[in-house]
Amino acid sequence: MDGNGRWAQRRGLKRTEGHAAGEEALVDTAYGALSMGIEVLTVYAFSTENWRRPVDEVRFLMNFNESLLKRRQHELHADGVRIVFSGRRDRRVPRRVLANMEEAEALTARNKVMTLNMAFNYGGRAEIVDAVRRLVDEGVPASKIDERSIRSRLYHPEIPDPDLVIRPSGEHRISNFLLWEMAYSELVFTDVLWPDFRREHLFEAVEEFQQRERRFGGLDK
Ligand code: FPP
């Protein structure tokens, strides 16, 4: 969900007001995904690198995560959305925020219509490191380490690899998102800044995805 800061700056607003404006984009995109039968929507809400931002902005994003959940979880729950979080639940995340995340996960755990996966305190490299640490902790011998054993120790192994990854805000980078999972994802880049992103932009990206030919390393049929 990139471009919030620039969106705010162009309007003479504070960066945090850009994040706040991103909420509408998130909710509209989630309902757009739901309306088209998408089973999993993963959004990058806070990266392991975002701790480097000014203290006030980090504090805002922590509190915002909590207040957004409090305000939206019941409506999402009523519509059959399962909310999960991917990322490190380390001591940098305030205990209150963690408790809130766990509450939303527990409330929505049995929902089946769509999974909204919030990548929060998430880094793609950190996720791979954490999976390898688990293998070592479990005493798995080197000869038994393969793609399947790593894959099954990612934060949410039940979630399939994404078919489509959309990067807004005109940047052409992966920025440490879903490194393992996006090995064969189709990438769509758009100049739209996140606060302006709406379901129509998602639909356009899906249309572009539908034109792509996926070979997964094989040859044309
Ligand atoms: C990147 O924009 C955006 C973020 C670091 C946070 C995205 C979060 C939301 C849209 C709201 C939902 C948030 C939570 C915590 C649930 P940027 O600040 O890098 O924008 P810039 O590239 O224009 O500076």
Side-chain angles (χ1 to χ4, degrees), residues 1-10 15 18-26 43-47 50 53 57 60-66 68-69 85 118-120 167 169 171 173 193-195:
M1 298 188 283
D2 196 15
N4 301 340
R6 278 164 285 167
W7 183 92
Q9 207 169 19
R10 284 177 199 174
R15 292 179 53 78
H19 298 316
E23 177 174 343
E24 193 53 40
L26 172 58
V43 291
Y44 207 174
F46 190 86
S47 79
N50 287 153
R53 295 193 174 198
E57 186 173 344
F60 176 90
L61 285 167
M62 290 296 138
N63 292 333
F64 190 56
N65 179 32
E66 191 190 0
L68 189 145
L69 278 180
F85 287 86
M118 308 274 290
F120 190 78
R167 170 106 198 206
S169 90
E171 307 290 357
R173 291 189 288 276
L193 301 176
W194 179 253

